[in-house]
Amino acid sequence: MVTGTAAPMLEMRGITKYFGGLCAVSAVDLDLMPGEALAIVGDNGAGKSTLIKVLTGVFEPDEGEIRLDGKPVSIASRRDARALGIEAVYQNLGLVDTLDAPGNVFLGHELKRPVLGIPFLDNRRMAREAARVLQENVGIELPNLREPALHLSGGQRQAVAIARAIYSTDLRVLVMDEPTAALGPEETRNTLALMQRLKAQGIALIVISHNLEHVFAVADRVMVMRGGRRVGLRTTANSTKQEVLGLIVAALDEPVAA
Amino acid sequence: MSVAAPTVDGARPRQRGLPWPQRYVNVLGPLVMIVGLSLFMAVVHPPYFRISNLMIILQDASLYMVLAMGMTLVITGRGIDLSVGAIAALSAVVMAMLIKDLGVSVGIGMAAAVLVGLACGTANGLVITRLHVPDLIATLSMDLVFRGIALVLAAGVVLSQFPEPIPFLGRGRVLDIVPMPALIGLVVLAIGWILYHYTPLGRYAIAIGGDPEAAMLAGIDVRRHKIYQYMLMGGLAGLTGILLTGRLNAIQATSGMGLTLHTIAAVVVGGTSLFGGRGSMVGSLVGVLLLSMVVNALVNLRLDFFWQQVAAGVIIIASVGFYSSLQAGPGTLGRRLAGLAGRVQARA
């Protein structure tokens, strides 16, 4: 089994998911190396989101197996996924608009400090820690940390969501769904740089994107999906946007056993 | 003309943080109204400011302070409790009957009032979270249930003449000046402020009210925390029942009819958003004081009692309209006023 190259951190084998009679994902394999960025591309309805939701515990697969560090794991809920260090960041989901950045970063696992034996929220330490994680791991400094998330820009919101993912678990796999879809050019540049920083920290990324420009800028490999199947897997260094685009729209094709 | 000035650097001038007048608009709004009212009364009716009258205002505000603490939390959590007046009455009636009819000691009677309140609040929370009845409908219906039970129990009788400390708690004066219930109300609101800012109870109310789905995804037990919020509200309504009994040293099943809406009005005037996710204990205190000052002013001006309701309604509409227009975007009245305040501040 073990090949000459490094062993994958995450393996998904033969993942199949039906919704009623509709097969959304059919026998899909996925490997992920530590510190690697894998892009998943494909048209709407290709099964990208379903596959990702299987990984993050939103859906349970009808068939297939997920292995982490070679050991089979069962991911029945988001909590399970989180416990294994698998987190997802969505463009707008997951932040409470009326809470500030530290409140969002620590939501659900607040830092506490006992006063007279009562565990009160330690807002000061949470603000400090959030600022530190945002600066050191995410590489962004918020001008006003106590501002409600409502008033943050798209890129800042994403940074807060990622800081939360980093803090809430021993983060190993970060799934990013359309990370650049709602961002301006400046923020897109920041987000791409942020992805490189996360990779450098050994965190593996799975990026769903429609933007091949960004995919080729940040991803090491591209997986193409169509009709619930994996129809191609390319190393970005040895491929071109034209080739990947061809796979997406079915101009080119290759056997499933890539 | 100069409207564009603050936004030359793009669409997001808010990133650097709001200028303080907008940040604290929930407290400043009613404070401005308090100052305006005070100036008006200073001219028209100076005896309004006698210590004795100010203490009457505090006395009147005290029950609403206690209720406003729980209501701030409940409304922040995107809920509302329309049954607090009935809970207060039911708790008070149970306490009164235990003491007067069954000869139970005062302490146990008072504890029973709070327990009845907690039980009613728990019932509210369970109906809302387990039966999936919307908060408004659930508590409106439970208001009928609680009031009905109080009427069945007390059957139209007025129970009066309670032993200390009930009258002291309801109308006593500390150092012969400060109303005891107002001190209780202030302490309750102070505790509420701590709960709101320094415990998961408040933090999760903000999260649940701001975005229930995000709160759930963050692993917060939304149902359980909604129940906690209504339990606290119920317990405070039970405490209010004790104070209500002590105020006139008498209670009947129909007591406390206007408490609920007046409390909600004060909380909303204080800037707690009916859409959830945003609230302020300090704002609620200021809202309570404003409403009590207005009511007292109307009494002092010898206006008919029923004008109080008209005034309360107008103040609520003015406040909610103001806050809504702040949210609605540029060009609206509230935005313009707040923007003006911001520019004045920036120049200073």
Side-chain angles (χ1 to χ4, degrees):
Chain A
M1 284 287 172
V2 181
T3 57
T5 56
M9 170 198 260
L10 175 80
E11 300 163 78
M12 295 175 85
R13 288 279 167 271
I15 302 294
T16 300
K17 177 69 188 173
Y18 290 94
F19 291 113
L22 184 82
C23 186
V25 171
S26 172
V28 170
D29 291 347
L30 182 154
D31 286 332
L32 197 62
M33 304 291 168
E36 177 190 44
L38 172 72
I40 304 180
V41 298
D43 216 340
N44 293 330
K48 297 167 294 184
S49 292
T50 307
L51 180 67
I52 286 319
K53 284 178 176 163
V54 167
L55 179 62
T56 52
V58 179
F59 299 141
E60 273 194 272
D62 294 311
E63 281 166 42
E65 184 184 54
I66 302 175
R67 291 162 176 267
L68 197 65
D69 300 324
K71 287 189 287 288
V73 291
S74 137
I75 303 177
S77 68
R78 277 186 63 96
R79 209 172 275 259
D80 288 350
R82 205 165 287 162
L84 294 168
I86 302 169
E87 263 284 10
V89 174
Y90 297 94
Q91 192 62 53
N92 273 311
L93 206 73
L95 290 194
V96 176
D97 277 343
T98 52
L99 278 177
D100 60 11
N104 270 300
V105 169
F106 288 96
L107 187 62
H109 42 91
E110 287 78 7
L111 301 180
K112 300 197 178 124
R113 182 170 58 106
V115 179
L116 305 171
I118 307 166
F120 286 106
L121 300 183
D122 195 342
N123 290 326
R124 205 169 303 169
R125 192 151 68 92
M126 283 193 274
R128 233 180 12 241
E129 284 291 291
R132 188 182 62 76
V133 171
L134 279 168
Q135 201 166 16
E136 288 177 13
N137 301 70
V138 188
I140 186 171
E141 202 165 341
L142 292 185
N144 188 347
L145 211 57
R146 305 313 295 264
E147 199 72 14
L150 181 69
H151 296 159
L152 298 177
S153 70
Q156 290 170 329
R157 291 174 63 89
Q158 196 168 55
V160 172
I162 292 169
R164 170 149 125 212
I166 290 173
Y167 219 103
S168 65
T169 58
D170 179 15
L171 185 64
R172 308 197 54 201
V173 178
L174 180 65
V175 178
M176 302 177 85
D177 194 356
E178 293 289 356
T180 54
L183 302 184
E186 168 78 24
E187 290 186 323
T188 298
R189 232 176 357 260
N190 291 340
T191 297
L192 295 179
L194 162 59
M195 291 181 188
Q196 299 292 358
R197 265 196 302 280
L198 293 174
K199 279 166 65 179
Q201 293 167 47
I203 295 167
L205 300 177
I206 297 179
V207 182
I208 297 182
S209 181
H210 279 111
N211 190 319
L212 291 183
E213 193 89 37
H214 300 160
V215 164
F216 273 79
V218 76
D220 301 294
R221 290 186 300 156
V222 193
M223 174 172 145
V224 185
M225 289 187 73
R226 183 170 4 107
R229 294 176 177 278
R230 186 175 103 183
V231 295
L233 184 65
R234 293 285 182 277
T235 308
T236 48
N238 300 327
S239 183
T240 61
K241 283 171 215 154
Q242 282 73 20
E243 186 189 14
V244 171
L245 195 61
L247 286 167
I248 293 173
V249 300
L252 303 167
D253 221 333
E254 67 178 70
V256 176
Chain B
M1 294 177 273
S2 63
V3 180
T7 58
V8 277
D9 56 350
R12 291 198 170 266
R14 289 175 297 180
Q15 273 182 31
R16 276 162 306 175
L18 298 168
W20 66 264
Q22 288 181 49
R23 186 176 295 262
Y24 297 110
V25 70
N26 65 318
V27 177
L28 288 175
L31 267 183
V32 166
M33 287 196 247
I34 285 178
V35 170
L37 177 69
S38 299
L39 290 175
F40 178 73
M41 290 308 286
V43 173
V44 176
H45 189 74
Y48 184 75
F49 293 102
R50 284 200 191 124
I51 296 288
S52 60
N53 191 50
L54 295 180
M55 292 303 145
I56 290 173
I57 293 174
L58 271 183
Q59 166 86 44
D60 177 65
S62 57
L63 295 188
Y64 303 118
M65 290 184 198
V66 175
L67 290 172
M69 189 270 245
M71 196 65 84
T72 305
L73 208 64
V74 166
I75 294 181
T76 298
R78 212 181 268 193
I80 194 154
D81 193 339
L82 296 176
S83 68
V84 293
I87 296 177
L90 178 58
S91 309
V93 163
V94 169
M95 173 184 74
M97 295 184 76
L98 284 174
I99 294 172
K100 301 302 281 190
D101 296 351
L102 299 175
V104 171
S105 75
V106 194
I108 293 178
M110 285 170 27
V114 174
L115 284 177
V116 168
L118 283 171
C120 292
T122 311
N124 279 337
L126 288 174
V127 167
I128 290 161
T129 57
R130 303 288 148 173
L131 303 182
H132 303 288
V133 181
D135 305 54
L136 188 87
I137 305 296
T139 56
L140 190 62
S141 313
M142 291 304 267
D143 180 73
L144 297 173
V145 172
F146 298 145
R147 183 71 71 182
I149 296 174
L151 285 162
V152 169
L153 287 176
V157 176
V158 178
L159 295 136
S160 61
Q161 301 297 319
F162 297 95
E164 291 293 349
I166 292 176
F168 174 69
L169 292 177
R171 64 180 178 199
R173 293 291 169 100
V174 177
L175 304 174
D176 285 334
I177 301 175
V178 187
M180 183 61 192
L183 290 181
I184 295 172
L186 288 171
V187 168
V188 166
L189 273 173
I191 293 171
W193 185 83
I194 293 170
L195 288 177
Y196 201 88
H197 293 283
Y198 292 96
T199 70
L201 198 67
R203 183 63 47 91
Y204 294 171
I206 299 173
I208 292 167
D211 192 335
E213 202 185 356
M216 211 165 58
L217 285 175
I220 295 169
D221 191 336
V222 173
R223 283 178 171 191
R224 182 192 305 194
H225 274 271
K226 283 214 80 122
I227 294 175
Y228 288 164
Q229 290 157 22
Y230 281 99
M231 275 179 79
L232 178 68
M233 181 77 257
L236 290 168
L239 172 59
T240 305
I242 301 173
L243 303 182
L244 187 64
T245 308
R247 170 175 289 186
L248 298 172
N249 208 358
I251 194 72
Q252 53 185 335
T254 51
S255 298
M257 283 285 195
L259 288 177
T260 306
L261 290 180
H262 189 111
T263 302
I264 293 170
V267 167
V268 170
V269 166
T272 297
S273 167
L274 281 171
F275 303 109
R278 227 184 287 260
S280 164
M281 289 288 168
V282 179
S284 291
L285 172 63
V286 178
V288 165
L289 291 177
L290 173 65
L291 285 194
S292 291
M293 284 178 71
V294 169
V295 168
N296 184 276
L298 295 174
V299 171
N300 266 279
L301 295 174
R302 311 234 182 285
L303 281 169
D304 191 83
F305 170 79
F306 300 108
W307 280 108
Q308 292 177 15
Q309 302 199 9
V310 177
V314 169
I315 290 174
I316 297 167
I317 290 176
S319 306
V320 176
F322 179 71
Y323 295 128
S324 300
S325 64
L326 273 185
Q327 309 291 331
T332 53
L333 178 66
R335 252 294 148 77
R336 258 182 253 163
L337 285 176
L340 187 70
R343 282 201 292 280
V344 170
Q345 148 80 0
R347 205 166 297 168

